[in-house]
Amino acid sequence: MPRKRSPNGRRSLLPRQGWVWWLPFAVVVADVTAELVLRGREPVSFLLIGVPPLAAATRGPRGTALSAVVCLGLQMLFAALRPGHFHEQHHIALYVGTLLIGIASTALAWQRERVRQQLIRANSVAEAMQRGLLRPVPRRLGQVRAAAFYAAGEGGTLVGGDLYDVCVTPFGVRAIIGDVRGKGLGAVQTVAAVLGSFRVCAHEWQDLGRLAERLELSIARNAPVGVEYDPELFVTALVLEFPPSGGEVRVLGRGHPAPVVVGPEGVRRLVTAPALPLALGGLSPGGAAETTVHPLLPGEVVVVYTDGVSEARDAQGAFYPVLERLAQRFGGGGAGPDPADVVSFVRADTERWSKECDDDQAVLALTLKERPREGY
């Protein structure tokens, strides 16, 4: 059954009722109309026996029980209008059948309502967990303005394998975006490990390469107890730093798509030093990954995203061209765009590009204020 979309754009756990809600009324109206047209020449009130099960699909136990009482009353009324039919054996069997089906339908409606409440509670827990893992990004953090968007690709879930966070540290405003290999609870556990480590270590380690090593270590240390470590587990990630002096962004890439810069001078992709994803760093003999430094012009917005965006496919199977679409929308010169406008555009544009996307999507846009503050 199709599902609703919640106000934040994610699929809801609760099914959409739609036209099914009107089916009990339609059957009752059709039966009454047939009785009036046929003037009692043919017994059509047996159709009403199907109303309580239909009501149980969309209504609570009270509404279902009421529908059963109404149908039983109409059956008795129609039989009474036909002389000698009220006490006939097949009519009595119809009354008993409607009563039993009404009782069973009421019990089913009670069970359905109970399951629905459980789904609502589970949905609330998932939302609370998401707020703990993927906290809403404030519009302003120190000298940086920011905006973010996240959507889990797996139907009926709110948390997936993508991650991001932004925080103000003694070394400047730092941000991370990443993508965990795999889906499900294992991916969520890895997301929690990486974000928890970032929120602590980002304030303690000045060098971004060493910070990435601490994130890598947290993945191994937070593996589920009693479960063999997955040798194929890895996390692609980007760590960004906007120093207090302003005017530049420092980027450390660990196997993640490079950032895109959108500004008055056009759209360009930043070059990052190659490095293996987190949890695979031990395979690289070169030591800590290299941090690249890129100057930022006034009004330029740094856009980072996960592969759920860049690998969204259209009907012909073509990937979403991030750089080209951003250039078409924001490459016309003038003042730099607002991060919220960039995020909103990417979100809406990928939905138009790919109607059915089953991968997690995360987008983070950050820009320096016009007059950066010295310190925090």
Side-chain angles (χ1 to χ4, degrees):
M1 181 176 290
R3 299 178 184 271
K4 292 181 180 178
R5 280 192 176 269
S6 58
N8 59 9
R10 302 181 183 91
R11 283 185 287 271
S12 170
L13 294 173
L14 302 180
R16 183 171 61 237
Q17 295 175 351
W19 57 270
V20 179
W21 194 88
W22 295 98
L23 274 181
F25 293 107
V27 174
V28 172
V29 170
D31 189 88
V32 173
T33 302
E35 284 284 348
L36 295 176
V37 171
L38 297 176
R39 298 180 182 275
R41 292 190 299 271
E42 296 292 338
V44 295
S45 59
F46 67 90
L47 294 175
L48 296 174
I49 201 171
V51 171
L54 294 175
T58 56
R59 290 164 177 78
R62 292 184 179 180
T64 304
L66 178 61
S67 70
V69 171
V70 170
C71 291
L72 184 59
L74 288 175
Q75 289 172 344
M76 292 180 174
L77 175 62
F78 294 152
L81 294 177
R82 301 172 64 193
H85 283 258
F86 185 84
H87 298 290
E88 284 187 355
Q89 185 175 2
H90 70 276
H91 280 284
I92 295 176
L94 181 62
Y95 308 151
V96 174
T98 303
L99 178 62
L100 294 177
I101 291 178
I103 294 174
S105 299
T106 302
L108 289 175
W110 176 82
Q111 177 65 17
R112 186 189 64 82
E113 188 67 18
R114 183 167 172 266
V115 172
R116 178 177 174 273
Q117 293 299 325
Q118 291 176 345
L119 286 175
I120 292 175
R121 287 193 293 269
N123 199 26
S124 300
V125 170
E127 288 180 349
M129 182 173 64
Q130 185 195 36
R131 285 194 294 268
L133 289 179
L134 301 177
R135 301 169 182 171
V137 174
R139 290 184 61 85
R140 295 180 180 272
L141 299 98
Q143 62 178 8
V144 170
R145 290 186 292 120
F149 159 69
Y150 174 82
E154 190 173 353
T157 63
L158 297 175
V159 181
D162 287 0
L163 59 96
Y164 63 81
D165 200 10
V166 186
C167 60
V168 181
T169 75
F171 316 110
V173 176
R174 287 180 166 179
I176 184 174
I177 190 167
D179 187 356
V180 179
R181 173 191 170 275
K183 297 181 180 181
L185 291 178
V188 174
Q189 289 176 330
T190 305
V191 167
V194 174
L195 288 179
S197 179
F198 173 79
R199 288 162 183 166
V200 174
C201 296
H203 298 264
E204 299 177 350
W205 295 85
Q206 182 174 3
D207 182 73
L208 293 184
R210 298 303 178 188
L211 170 59
E213 290 178 355
R214 304 308 296 180
L215 301 180
E216 193 166 40
L217 184 61
S218 70
I219 297 175
R221 288 181 172 176
N222 288 274
V225 178
V227 178
E228 185 178 356
Y229 181 75
D230 183 3
E232 297 183 356
L233 173 66
F234 62 84
V235 181
T236 66
L238 280 175
V239 181
L240 293 81
E241 178 182 284
F242 296 84
S245 57
E248 65 183 26
V249 60
R250 300 166 184 170
V251 183
L252 183 139
R254 296 294 299 267
H256 199 82
V260 174
V261 173
V262 181
E265 301 297 324
V267 179
R268 71 181 191 276
R269 188 178 294 279
L270 300 182
V271 178
T272 59
L276 293 176
L278 299 177
L280 300 180
L283 301 177
S284 175
E290 179 184 350
T291 300
T292 56
V293 181
H294 305 272
L296 289 180
L297 299 176
E300 287 189 324
V301 179
V302 179
V303 183
V304 291
Y305 52 88
T306 59
D307 60 8
V309 174
S310 57
E311 295 181 2
R313 296 174 180 265
D314 63 5
Q316 287 72 41
F319 289 122
Y320 179 74
V322 181
L323 201 68
E324 290 79 359
R325 302 294 285 188
L326 287 174
Q328 292 176 9
R329 175 62 179 82
F330 300 104
D338 185 79
D341 294 336
V342 176
V343 169
S344 298
F345 168 75
V346 175
R347 175 180 180 176
D349 201 39
T350 52
E351 286 184 355
R352 289 191 296 265
W353 183 272
S354 178
K355 299 299 183 181
E356 296 294 335
C357 182
D358 58 356
D359 197 5
D360 303 325
Q361 293 182 338
V363 181
L364 184 61
L366 309 104
T367 184
L368 292 169
K369 296 180 182 178
E370 294 182 0
R371 295 181 180 180
R373 293 184 297 177
E374 296 293 336
Y376 295 87

PDB file of all heavy atoms in Angstrom, residues 140-144 168 173 369 373 376:
ATOM      1  N   ARG A 140      23.678  29.490  11.400  1.00  0.00           N
ATOM      2  CA  ARG A 140      24.932  30.195  11.644  1.00  0.00           C
ATOM      3  C   ARG A 140      25.730  29.469  12.713  1.00  0.00           C
ATOM      4  O   ARG A 140      25.208  29.154  13.776  1.00  0.00           O
ATOM      5  CB  ARG A 140      24.679  31.641  12.069  1.00  0.00           C
ATOM      6  CG  ARG A 140      24.033  32.489  10.979  1.00  0.00           C
ATOM      7  CD  ARG A 140      23.793  33.922  11.440  1.00  0.00           C
ATOM      8  NE  ARG A 140      23.180  34.718  10.399  1.00  0.00           N
ATOM      9  CZ  ARG A 140      23.845  35.393   9.463  1.00  0.00           C
ATOM     10  NH1 ARG A 140      25.183  35.364   9.474  1.00  0.00           N
ATOM     11  NH2 ARG A 140      23.230  36.089   8.542  1.00  0.00           N
ATOM     12  N   LEU A 141      26.994  29.211  12.402  1.00  0.00           N
ATOM     13  CA  LEU A 141      27.923  28.639  13.365  1.00  0.00           C
ATOM     14  C   LEU A 141      29.221  29.431  13.283  1.00  0.00           C
ATOM     15  O   LEU A 141      29.954  29.328  12.293  1.00  0.00           O
ATOM     16  CB  LEU A 141      28.214  27.163  13.088  1.00  0.00           C
ATOM     17  CG  LEU A 141      27.040  26.199  13.124  1.00  0.00           C
ATOM     18  CD1 LEU A 141      26.551  25.930  11.708  1.00  0.00           C
ATOM     19  CD2 LEU A 141      27.450  24.891  13.779  1.00  0.00           C
ATOM     20  N   GLY A 142      29.472  30.234  14.298  1.00  0.00           N
ATOM     21  CA  GLY A 142      30.657  31.065  14.251  1.00  0.00           C
ATOM     22  C   GLY A 142      30.649  31.963  13.038  1.00  0.00           C
ATOM     23  O   GLY A 142      29.729  32.753  12.827  1.00  0.00           O
ATOM     24  N   GLN A 143      31.664  31.805  12.190  1.00  0.00           N
ATOM     25  CA  GLN A 143      31.776  32.662  11.002  1.00  0.00           C
ATOM     26  C   GLN A 143      31.201  31.998   9.749  1.00  0.00           C
ATOM     27  O   GLN A 143      31.424  32.481   8.645  1.00  0.00           O
ATOM     28  CB  GLN A 143      33.245  32.985  10.749  1.00  0.00           C
ATOM     29  CG  GLN A 143      34.081  31.750  10.457  1.00  0.00           C
ATOM     30  CD  GLN A 143      35.519  32.093  10.173  1.00  0.00           C
ATOM     31  OE1 GLN A 143      35.925  33.238  10.334  1.00  0.00           O
ATOM     32  NE2 GLN A 143      36.298  31.124   9.745  1.00  0.00           N
ATOM     33  N   VAL A 144      30.455  30.939   9.933  1.00  0.00           N
ATOM     34  CA  VAL A 144      29.950  30.158   8.796  1.00  0.00           C
ATOM     35  C   VAL A 144      28.430  30.136   8.811  1.00  0.00           C
ATOM     36  O   VAL A 144      27.808  30.007   9.864  1.00  0.00           O
ATOM     37  CB  VAL A 144      30.509  28.713   8.844  1.00  0.00           C
ATOM     38  CG1 VAL A 144      29.817  27.826   7.823  1.00  0.00           C
ATOM     39  CG2 VAL A 144      32.008  28.720   8.610  1.00  0.00           C
ATOM     40  N   VAL A 168      31.546  24.103  16.009  1.00  0.00           N
ATOM     41  CA  VAL A 168      32.506  25.178  16.226  1.00  0.00           C
ATOM     42  C   VAL A 168      33.564  24.669  17.193  1.00  0.00           C
ATOM     43  O   VAL A 168      33.243  24.210  18.293  1.00  0.00           O
ATOM     44  CB  VAL A 168      31.819  26.428  16.789  1.00  0.00           C
ATOM     45  CG1 VAL A 168      32.834  27.552  16.986  1.00  0.00           C
ATOM     46  CG2 VAL A 168      30.696  26.880  15.875  1.00  0.00           C
ATOM     47  N   VAL A 173      35.502  26.390  12.362  1.00  0.00           N
ATOM     48  CA  VAL A 173      34.276  25.611  12.137  1.00  0.00           C
ATOM     49  C   VAL A 173      34.640  24.376  11.335  1.00  0.00           C
ATOM     50  O   VAL A 173      35.244  24.467  10.259  1.00  0.00           O
ATOM     51  CB  VAL A 173      33.222  26.451  11.395  1.00  0.00           C
ATOM     52  CG1 VAL A 173      31.997  25.599  11.076  1.00  0.00           C
ATOM     53  CG2 VAL A 173      32.818  27.651  12.230  1.00  0.00           C
ATOM     54  N   LYS A 369      30.697  34.044   6.303  1.00  0.00           N
ATOM     55  CA  LYS A 369      30.007  35.323   6.373  1.00  0.00           C
ATOM     56  C   LYS A 369      30.832  36.375   5.649  1.00  0.00           C
ATOM     57  O   LYS A 369      32.034  36.225   5.411  1.00  0.00           O
ATOM     58  CB  LYS A 369      29.804  35.732   7.832  1.00  0.00           C
ATOM     59  CG  LYS A 369      28.893  34.802   8.627  1.00  0.00           C
ATOM     60  CD  LYS A 369      28.770  35.303  10.053  1.00  0.00           C
ATOM     61  CE  LYS A 369      27.910  34.353  10.879  1.00  0.00           C
ATOM     62  NZ  LYS A 369      27.810  34.787  12.293  1.00  0.00           N
ATOM     63  N   ARG A 373      34.419  36.803  11.841  1.00  0.00           N
ATOM     64  CA  ARG A 373      34.852  37.247  13.151  1.00  0.00           C
ATOM     65  C   ARG A 373      36.194  36.614  13.498  1.00  0.00           C
ATOM     66  O   ARG A 373      36.468  35.473  13.153  1.00  0.00           O
ATOM     67  CB  ARG A 373      33.814  36.870  14.206  1.00  0.00           C
ATOM     68  CG  ARG A 373      32.523  37.615  14.036  1.00  0.00           C
ATOM     69  CD  ARG A 373      31.578  37.278  15.164  1.00  0.00           C
ATOM     70  NE  ARG A 373      31.238  35.850  15.143  1.00  0.00           N
ATOM     71  CZ  ARG A 373      30.475  35.276  16.045  1.00  0.00           C
ATOM     72  NH1 ARG A 373      29.990  35.963  17.059  1.00  0.00           N
ATOM     73  NH2 ARG A 373      30.198  33.986  15.969  1.00  0.00           N
ATOM     74  N   TYR A 376      36.134  32.930  18.508  1.00  0.00           N
ATOM     75  CA  TYR A 376      34.792  32.397  18.728  1.00  0.00           C
ATOM     76  C   TYR A 376      34.376  32.744  20.139  1.00  0.00           C
ATOM     77  O   TYR A 376      35.189  32.813  21.033  1.00  0.00           O
ATOM     78  CB  TYR A 376      34.782  30.877  18.543  1.00  0.00           C
ATOM     79  CG  TYR A 376      35.097  30.496  17.117  1.00  0.00           C
ATOM     80  CD1 TYR A 376      36.418  30.348  16.705  1.00  0.00           C
ATOM     81  CD2 TYR A 376      34.097  30.331  16.189  1.00  0.00           C
ATOM     82  CE1 TYR A 376      36.703  30.056  15.395  1.00  0.00           C
ATOM     83  CE2 TYR A 376      34.389  30.024  14.878  1.00  0.00           C
ATOM     84  CZ  TYR A 376      35.686  29.876  14.489  1.00  0.00           C
ATOM     85  OH  TYR A 376      35.976  29.562  13.202  1.00  0.00           O
TER      86      TYR A 376
END
